[in-house]
Every structure is written in structure tokens, then in C-alpha cells.
Amino acid sequence: MGIVVQKYGGSSVSDAASIKRVAQRIVATKKAGHDVVVVVSAMGDTTDELLDLAHDVSPLPDGRELDMLLTAGERISMALLAMAIGNLGQQAQSFTGSQAGVITDSAHGRAKIIDVTPGRITRAIGDGAVAIVAGFQGVSQDSKDITTLGRGGSDTTAVALAAALEADVCEIYTDVDGIFTADPRIVPAARQIPVISYEETLEMAANGAKILHLRCVEYARRNDMPIHVRSSFSSKEGTWVVSAERMSDMLSATLTNEGDGEAPVMEQAIISGVAHDRSEAKITVVGVPDKVGEAARIFETLADAQINLDMIVQNVSAAATGLTDISFTLPRADGQTAMTSLARLKDEVGYAQLQYDDGVGKISLVGAGMRTNPGISAKFFKAIADAGVNIEMISTSEIRISVVVNEQQIDDAVSAAHRAFDLDAGEVEAVVYGGSGR
Amino acid sequence: MGIVVQKYGGSSVSDAASIKRVAQRIVATKKAGHDVVVVVSAMGDTTDELLDLAHDVSPLPDGRELDMLLTAGERISMALLAMAIGNLGQQAQSFTGSQAGVITDSAHGRAKIIDVTPGRITRAIGDGAVAIVAGFQGVSQDSKDITTLGRGGSDTTAVALAAALEADVCEIYTDVDGIFTADPRIVPAARQIPVISYEETLEMAANGAKILHLRCVEYARRNDMPIHVRSSFSSKEGTWVVSAERMSDMLSATLTNEGDGEAPVMEQAIISGVAHDRSEAKITVVGVPDKVGEAARIFETLADAQINLDMIVQNVSAAATGLTDISFTLPRADGQTAMTSLARLKDEVGYAQLQYDDGVGKISLVGAGMRTNPGISAKFFKAIADAGVNIEMISTSEIRISVVVNEQQIDDAVSAAHRAFDLDAGEVEAVVYGGSGR
């Protein structure tokens, strides 16, 4: 059998007891005949505690030194995990990001992986050992300094290593059973998704679903590395994140088995799920002269301020006035900066006023099936309207429709959309992908 | 001006406040025109806390993984220290043992330094930065695994780096003012020694003085690297540990200045100090047949059990019986192992019985001056006898006399010896080295 890469997050290794539990799972995988490479995050709150220490000695710690500090966290968890595995009679060796060959650029705190040269890992598993690798960290190509990958870093390490090792699968262990059709705290009837494409997962992640980070999914997509998101507290199958091609194969295999009387659990729904996001704010620039270049000035200014915009809507200008309104959403954390930058433009652009609203939320319907199923948008908007929720902005991609609504009404809107598309557990009208859809 | 290597122990960097204080001292040294390389230990109790974690996951943690775990400690302190220095406007970069070029053998937990290749450190100080290096750790030459140097490791790192960088001095910062003529907790009148030779320091360290570790002093002696032991809480001169030659030069320089009316603080006493050790036990093998090879069998057995003996005394055999007694001291921690090993030899060697005593202590009088001053032993024994203390064993080197006494009487014996050789503060009869001695 081939190589399995398993990634365990901080909550899975928060204390000695949970480290021992994870060790047992790893040894079981090894005993089942796989070569096992494990990527591990820092224990529980270690990273936050180290950050607190850093800010105690310096209000603005140097990036290189902050990375040196934070990487101590995985060093502790990976060594403890290796010891716990050793205590079960299975050889295990831990490796820092640098030792594992995770080569990055020099952007401290948000380094990008340039290359993975896992020679030591290959040797370790060749010797029959389990290799434990520190997530979230690497070494810069130019200066050989220790770097960290930023948010979602350990997941990205796991996928990158899996790709470099040509592993069969990258298993991401977490404290839930997999990816759900909606946040179960909002929609108790939300169901676990058995299989989903990279593209749909990217849309879910980019629009507020917290389960996998964008970078990790993008890395997996580029390298066609199957991800299996599953719970570290059970042995249930989780959610497979794979290419559309592999997804078709998996579905065909399941359908072929249908004659056995088993339920066709792997059928592809038109809609994968409903994501939501409460982290954005909306800014409207009212009364912009509808001349060539005015909108461009506004967006240049925001780009110069390093602000990533999400949805952008420009209304058709009223013929009588020659003025238009431009609305966009952005991370709330950047709201103050954006407003200050725009205020400076007032005389130059000659707009009437700025409106700022951080009481908004975004709901996104995601599904590859909407490519071949007209009428999805209409059904989505009607469901939201029927729930008494007003839509403030709309944006779409090929496999996603997003709307901005009042933040207070997000839960109602998510529940309504989830129900309208028959995603609630026990209400599934499974539609075979590319089949009965119209 | 040249390179200064400064080493700060765990108690000097136990929290954010003390790290900031150390940072100020380092910046002051840098501003005085020196290139500064700092070696730092893990913060306060970090190492013990990590050891506790290790034993929570495994009763017998793997050596390689234990080293990986423990080295997280210095990673934290060194990064924080670099940040604190940066916050004072001075550039600083931290380096792991591996990055600093500390190459060791593969003996995890007690690795020996084979080579130091501090290219990155040289570049960093060349760029005007303060280089902060993790103490206690290195990387193995063969397997490129992370290693730790064991007890006294950070001091050894500092001296090894100082030697490789051809530094002017290796400053070892601690929580006392320097090396004292005796433990001030036992002898309140103990005085700080201004200058002492490597050889005397080695005898002090080997016989219970806790201030510098044997390995570090031995490394300094081999490389003729001056060590300055001083307090991180004051700017007072501490104790210089140097070669006998350099010591003569320093004393001459002081004596030359005598005409200025300054007190000749640097005069060499016959006796440097009185060390004591409560960590040993005494074993006596009673009634050993006085034949060729019997004693050898006993010591071979103990060597096979990896036990390091300290003092060994064999009485002349009584002519009537042809039997002799062999006594030796050893670390108390090895007492049980030694007794078990010896018990197995009883029939083979045919001794009468074993006696074990862990209520003993050792007192050592150390001083290069005793080479040229007869009568030192007699004066030492008389002082101890006058204090009502019985001497159980005696051993000597060229510059040391050690006696074993009842542990309860150590304090009395140390005080008596200290007073007898005029070491108490205010009672100094300074004797110039090689001068008035007879």
C-alpha cells in the first residue's frame, strides 16, 4: 500500500491524553500496511501564548524573530507525538519544516511554499518509521531563515508534502466529521457532504466556510491530491475533496454498486452547500460622476492601501443626473483604512458621500450542478425573499451565487436556502450529476 | 574593539521583564563598540516543564525526540531576546545551534561539540547585528539530527563559540557576583575571587562548586579563552577565569599599579577556595583477599555498570589476615546499581561484607599555591580536627586536598578550613603567587 499523509490540528493534540490518542490512530494506520507521514500543528493555545510573550517584549516584533518563536510550538507537539508513538512500540522520527525540505520564499508570517524536497522523510519511511513533520513552517530559499506559512499553514504543509511524496491521500483530521452543507450551528439539519470538488470547496472556503483554507485546497487542486477531511474523534468516513474527474469515477463506482441494494450515498447534488460569512463590511460611494476613469481612481486608491475587495456592484447611472453609486464589500478589519483613503479622494472624484455598513453578512450557494441547471438563481432569491430577507447586493461565479443581506437575518436566509434546495437531512432528492438536471 | 560573547542563563531570562533588562545590557555593550554574540538558555523552568510533558506521553522518551523537544526552550528565549533588542532600536538575529554551526557527535542528551563553523554568526555581526545563539544545542555531524549537550551545555556553547570566533572574552552571566572562596550560604564571610586559573576552577567544579561546569572550563582551557563570570544584576567586575600565564600578567599589571595607592586586589592567594559536595555516597568492601587482581575485578564490575568513581582508598592489609578493605565514593544516584553489581561478585571475590553510607560529604581545599607551600595538608587536617570533625577518607591532587566527612558536619568543616586559610573577608593575608610562599 502507498503513503498516507495525516494532518492533526492543535485541538487534536492539546494535551498528553489527546496526543496519546492520536498516536494510537497513527499506529493503527501504520499497522494496516500504509507508510504514514504525519503533519502536526502546535498544541492547543501554544501559538497564542507565544504571541502574547512576543508582545510583552516588543509592541512590533520583528517578522523573522516572530517566525523563529512561533515555530517552537510545532517542535514541542511533534516531538511529544513521536515519543508517544515510540511508546506504543512503533518507530517514529520528528522533522522540522526545514528538515522535511519545505522551501519557501522569505515573506515572514505568510511565506509561500516554493518547493518540497522531502529526502529525509522518504528515508525515514523507507526505514519503517512514521515521519512526524512540523506544520506551518519552512525555511527560506535565499537566507535559510525559518519562516511560517500564515493562516491554514499546517493544512498547506500536509497537502504539499503529500504531493511531493506522491501520497495516495492527504487526510486532514479535525473536530467535526467533515464538510457540511451548511454550518450545523445554524442549520441543525445540515448534512455531511461525502464528496465535493476542489472548485466547489474553494468557493465554500472563499465565502466563509471555515473547514479548509483556500491555499491548501488550491495546492491540492493544482497537484490533483485527494483530501479526506475527517474527525479525529471517530473512524467514520469524512468528506473527500477531489477533482471533478475523480468525483465522477467515485460516483460511477457507487452507482455500479446500487444493484446490491445499498443506498447510493455518493450521488451528486446540484448544490453542494450554503456558506455564510459575517466578517465583511459594505461601503457605498454615493453620487460618483459616471465618467471614464472615476471608478478606476476609487479602486486604485483602495488597491494602494492593500485592501482586498470582495463583491463590487455599480448601478447603471440615472440618465438625468449622470451620477452612479458604487458599492463593494471588504474585510471589516480594513474598513477604517478604506474610509480614510476614500475620504481623501472626495474633492478629486467629486462624489456626494460615503456610506459604511458593518451590519451585513454574505450568503453563498455553491454547486457545480448550477452550470447545467438553469433557474437556480431564481429559486435562491425566492427562498430568501420568502424568508422576509432583503437582498442588498448580488454577485455570481460559474458555480456560486452570493448575496449580501442584513447580518441579523443571516441565520434565517441560510436556513431558507438550505431547505429550498432540499439539503436538509432526510429530505434529499438526490440528483445525479449531469443527469436529470435540466 | 573585538568580539564579546555573553551567556545568560535561564534565571536571567525568566520572564518578559528580565528579558528586557538583559536586552538593555546587551545594547549597552554593543554601543560601547563591541561586536556582541549572545548565548541564551531556555526561560526559567521551561526545560523542566517540557520534561514533565515528555514523561506524560512516554515513561522512557526516545533520546532524539527528547532533544528535539527540549531545544524548543532556547528557541523561545532567543527569539524573544532578539525582539526585545530590536525594540531598543538595535538590529538582532537569533540562530539555532544548528544555524550557528555547532556540530556535535550523535550522543543525544549528552552530545560533545566536534566543530563550530559560525559563518552565519560572523556575517550577522559583520552586518552590524547582535547575534543571539541558542545554548545547549547543536546538530549531529552524521545524521543532521538536533542534539543537546547535557548539563552545563549553554556555558559550553558560549565558550566554544567564543573560541571559534576568536572573541576577546566569554562573559558568563549568572545570579551571583562571581566565584567565591566558599559557598556564601555556608560561609557568610566568603569573598569573591577576582582571578582564578582554569586548573583551580576545574578542581572547584569537579568537587562540588556549582558556578561553572567542568566541560565549559576544560574547553576554555584547551582554547585559552578567558571567561568572565559576573552578575546579570549589577555591572561589577566578576571573577576572571584564565590561564596561569595570563593570571601572572594580570597580577603583574595590578602590582605595577600599586604605587598609585590602590589596593593590590589582584594578588594571588595560596588557596583559592573551599568547595564542598553533598551528592556522593561511600561504599566499603570489607575483607577483600589481598591478592593480585581482586581489586581489579571489583573496579571492572563497577566500570561495566557505567559508574564513575571519585575517591578510592585501599588500606594496607593486615599481615595476620591477608585481608584488606577497599573504600570509594560515587554519585548517590548510582549507589543502588553499584551495590547490586558488587553483591553478585561476593562468591567470586570472597569479600566479607559491603557497607553503604550516603550520609557523607566531601570538602576540598583548592589552590595552585599549594604546589610551592608545604604544610598545607597538615594545616587543613588540623583545622578540621579542631572543629571536632572526623576525617573518613583523604585524596589529593597537585592543587587540591579533599576529605570525606559526616554530611552533618560539612558546614562546620568548610567554615573552619575557610577561616584557617585566612579566606574570610577582612582577614586576608594576601600572598603573592610564587612569592613569599615557602
Side-chain angles (χ1 to χ4, degrees):
Chain A
M1 280 189 264
I3 299 171
V4 172
V5 174
Q6 300 187 327
K7 180 260 172 177
Y8 294 92
S11 61
S12 299
V13 291
S14 59
D15 55 21
S18 48
I19 288 173
K20 287 181 181 173
R21 196 169 46 73
V22 164
Q24 281 171 341
R25 180 181 282 268
I26 292 166
V27 171
T29 310
K30 175 74 184 163
K31 285 200 171 140
H34 300 281
D35 285 331
V36 186
V37 175
V38 175
V39 173
V40 68
S41 303
M43 291 169 73
D45 301 325
T46 308
T47 303
D48 288 338
E49 288 164 15
L50 292 173
L51 276 173
D52 286 348
L53 271 174
H55 290 107
D56 284 350
V57 299
S58 174
L60 208 72
D62 178 71
R64 177 188 187 278
E65 299 306 322
L66 201 54
D67 280 358
M68 185 67 96
L69 178 73
L70 295 182
T71 49
E74 294 86 37
R75 201 177 187 87
I76 294 170
S77 56
M78 74 186 191
L80 291 173
L81 185 53
M83 289 174 198
I85 292 171
N87 195 41
L88 297 174
Q90 168 60 47
Q91 206 195 333
Q93 290 200 329
S94 66
F95 298 92
T96 64
S98 171
Q99 290 176 333
V102 180
I103 315 291
T104 73
D105 61 21
S106 297
H108 287 292
R110 52 188 167 84
K112 288 202 173 47
I113 296 177
I114 295 173
D115 196 9
V116 181
T117 54
R120 294 188 67 171
I121 307 302
T122 308
R123 278 200 298 281
I125 59 180
D127 292 345
V130 170
I132 315 286
V133 178
F136 179 68
Q137 57 178 251
V139 63
S140 68
Q141 191 165 43
D142 299 337
S143 57
K144 309 292 177 223
D145 283 328
I146 303 303
T147 53
T148 65
L149 309 180
R151 283 188 163 268
S154 289
D155 290 355
T156 308
T157 301
V159 170
L161 258 180
L165 293 165
E166 299 181 1
D168 291 344
V169 57
C170 178
E171 298 182 337
I172 306 273
Y173 285 89
T174 175
D175 49 5
V176 295
D177 285 337
I179 302 181
F180 280 75
T181 51
D183 185 337
R185 285 167 300 187
I186 294 182
V187 184
R191 288 178 303 108
Q192 187 204 317
I193 303 171
V195 56
I196 185 171
S197 69
Y198 295 125
E199 290 73 17
E200 290 164 306
T201 310
L202 283 170
E203 290 284 8
M204 297 278 275
N207 288 283
K210 299 277 190 308
I211 202 102
L212 283 179
H213 201 268
L214 221 51
R215 289 169 66 187
C216 143
V217 183
E218 183 54 38
Y219 207 107
R221 191 187 64 75
R222 272 207 311 278
N223 292 277
D224 194 15
M225 172 52 56
I227 299 177
H228 188 186
V229 181
R230 54 197 304 197
S231 167
S232 63
F233 297 91
S234 82
S235 56
K236 282 201 290 191
E237 281 278 303
T239 298
W240 286 83
V241 181
V242 297
S243 65
E245 294 69 34
R246 205 184 288 260
M247 197 166 160
S248 297
D249 293 347
M250 291 172 84
L251 293 170
S252 310
T254 316
L255 289 173
T256 310
N257 289 335
E258 212 176 343
D260 304 348
E262 284 186 28
V265 288
M266 286 284 223
E267 290 185 8
Q268 169 66 22
I270 298 169
I271 299 303
S272 297
V274 185
H276 71 278
D277 189 349
R278 295 179 208 266
S279 70
E280 297 198 333
K282 184 179 78 165
I283 290 178
T284 304
V285 190
V286 180
V288 181
D290 195 4
K291 289 186 298 191
V292 173
E294 295 300 336
R297 278 298 293 132
I298 288 173
F299 294 120
E300 267 169 28
T301 299
L302 294 168
D304 288 348
Q306 303 283 324
I307 294 167
N308 286 317
L309 304 187
D310 179 22
M311 294 167 62
I312 302 173
V313 173
Q314 178 173 354
N315 298 340
V316 177
S317 65
T321 60
L323 296 177
T324 184
D325 299 339
I326 297 176
S327 294
F328 55 87
T329 60
L330 74 173
R332 280 182 203 173
D334 293 334
Q336 186 59 52
T337 313
M339 289 296 280
T340 309
S341 303
L342 291 173
R344 283 200 215 100
L345 273 187
K346 189 165 199 299
D347 292 342
E348 188 185 331
V349 172
Y351 62 77
Q353 64 169 117
L354 293 177
Q355 289 171 353
Y356 180 76
D357 183 2
D358 61 7
V360 298
K362 187 173 62 169
I363 299 163
S364 301
L365 192 71
V366 175
M370 65 175 73
R371 282 197 189 100
T372 48
N373 286 271
I376 299 289
S377 303
K379 190 171 177 183
F380 181 46
F381 299 153
K382 181 168 190 304
I384 290 175
D386 287 350
V389 178
N390 183 46
I391 294 175
E392 301 183 19
M393 290 172 79
I394 297 172
S395 98
T396 60
S397 82
E398 207 184 348
I399 60 170
R400 174 186 53 84
I401 312 164
S402 298
V403 297
V404 169
V405 302
N406 184 313
E407 188 184 6
Q408 305 293 331
Q409 298 180 301
I410 282 192
D411 289 9
D412 291 344
V414 169
S415 296
H418 199 266
R419 202 176 318 110
F421 285 94
D422 301 325
L423 295 171
D424 285 8
E427 294 186 17
V428 193
E429 287 184 33
V431 178
V432 177
Y433 180 74
S436 70
R438 238 152 306 149
Chain B
M1 278 190 265
I3 299 172
V4 172
V5 174
Q6 301 187 327
K7 180 260 173 177
Y8 294 92
S11 61
S12 299
V13 291
S14 58
D15 55 21
S18 48
I19 288 173
K20 286 180 180 174
R21 196 170 45 74
V22 165
Q24 282 172 341
R25 178 181 284 267
I26 292 166
V27 170
T29 311
K30 174 74 183 163
K31 285 200 172 140
H34 299 281
D35 285 332
V36 187
V37 176
V38 176
V39 173
V40 69
S41 304
M43 291 170 73
D45 302 325
T46 308
T47 302
D48 288 338
E49 288 164 16
L50 291 173
L51 276 174
D52 286 348
L53 271 174
H55 290 107
D56 284 350
V57 299
S58 173
L60 207 73
D62 179 70
R64 178 188 186 278
E65 299 306 324
L66 201 54
D67 280 357
M68 184 69 95
L69 178 73
L70 295 183
T71 50
E74 293 88 37
R75 200 178 188 87
I76 293 171
S77 56
M78 74 185 191
L80 291 173
L81 185 52
M83 289 174 198
I85 293 171
N87 195 41
L88 298 174
Q90 168 61 46
Q91 206 196 331
Q93 290 199 328
S94 66
F95 298 92
T96 63
S98 170
Q99 291 176 333
V102 180
I103 317 291
T104 73
D105 62 20
S106 298
H108 286 292
R110 53 188 166 84
K112 288 202 172 44
I113 296 177
I114 296 173
D115 196 8
V116 182
T117 54
R120 294 189 67 171
I121 306 303
T122 307
R123 278 199 297 282
I125 58 180
D127 292 346
V130 170
I132 315 286
V133 178
F136 179 67
Q137 56 178 250
V139 62
S140 67
Q141 190 166 43
D142 299 338
S143 57
K144 309 292 177 223
D145 283 328
I146 304 302
T147 54
T148 65
L149 309 180
R151 284 186 163 268
S154 291
D155 290 355
T156 308
T157 302
V159 170
L161 258 179
L165 293 166
E166 298 181 1
D168 291 345
V169 58
C170 178
E171 298 183 337
I172 306 273
Y173 285 89
T174 174
D175 49 6
V176 294
D177 285 336
I179 303 181
F180 280 74
T181 50
D183 186 336
R185 285 168 299 188
I186 293 182
V187 185
R191 287 177 304 108
Q192 187 203 315
I193 303 170
V195 55
I196 185 171
S197 69
Y198 296 126
E199 289 73 17
E200 288 164 306
T201 311
L202 283 170
E203 290 284 9
M204 297 277 276
N207 288 283
K210 300 276 192 309
I211 202 102
L212 282 179
H213 201 267
L214 220 51
R215 290 169 65 187
C216 144
V217 182
E218 182 54 36
Y219 206 107
R221 191 187 63 75
R222 272 207 312 276
N223 293 276
D224 194 14
M225 173 52 58
I227 299 177
H228 188 186
V229 181
R230 54 195 305 194
S231 167
S232 63
F233 296 93
S234 83
S235 55
K236 283 200 287 191
E237 280 278 302
T239 299
W240 285 83
V241 181
V242 297
S243 65
E245 293 70 32
R246 205 184 287 261
M247 196 165 161
S248 295
D249 292 348
M250 291 172 84
L251 292 171
S252 310
T254 316
L255 289 174
T256 309
N257 289 335
E258 212 177 343
D260 304 348
E262 285 185 28
V265 289
M266 286 283 222
E267 291 186 7
Q268 167 66 20
I270 298 170
I271 298 303
S272 298
V274 184
H276 70 279
D277 188 350
R278 296 179 207 266
S279 69
E280 297 197 333
K282 184 179 78 166
I283 291 178
T284 304
V285 190
V286 179
V288 180
D290 196 5
K291 289 185 298 189
V292 173
E294 294 302 334
R297 279 297 295 132
I298 288 173
F299 294 119
E300 268 169 29
T301 299
L302 295 167
D304 289 348
Q306 304 281 323
I307 295 167
N308 285 317
L309 304 188
D310 180 20
M311 293 165 63
I312 302 174
V313 172
Q314 181 174 351
N315 298 341
V316 176
S317 67
T321 61
L323 296 176
T324 186
D325 299 339
I326 296 175
S327 294
F328 56 86
T329 61
L330 74 172
R332 279 182 203 173
D334 294 333
Q336 186 58 53
T337 312
M339 288 296 279
T340 309
S341 304
L342 291 174
R344 283 200 214 99
L345 273 188
K346 190 165 196 300
D347 291 343
E348 188 184 329
V349 172
Y351 61 77
Q353 64 169 118
L354 293 177
Q355 289 172 352
Y356 180 75
D357 183 2
D358 61 6
V360 298
K362 186 173 62 169
I363 299 161
S364 301
L365 192 70
V366 175
M370 66 175 71
R371 281 198 190 102
T372 48
N373 285 272
I376 300 288
S377 304
K379 190 172 176 182
F380 181 46
F381 299 153
K382 180 168 191 305
I384 290 176
D386 287 350
V389 178
N390 183 46
I391 294 174
E392 301 184 16
M393 291 171 80
I394 298 173
S395 95
T396 61
S397 81
E398 207 184 347
I399 61 170
R400 174 185 53 83
I401 312 164
S402 298
V403 298
V404 169
V405 302
N406 185 312
E407 188 184 7
Q408 305 293 331
Q409 298 180 300
I410 283 192
D411 290 8
D412 292 344
V414 169
S415 297
H418 198 264
R419 203 176 318 111
F421 286 92
D422 302 324
L423 294 170
D424 285 9
E427 295 185 18
V428 192
E429 287 181 36
V431 180
V432 177
Y433 178 75
S436 69
R438 241 151 310 147

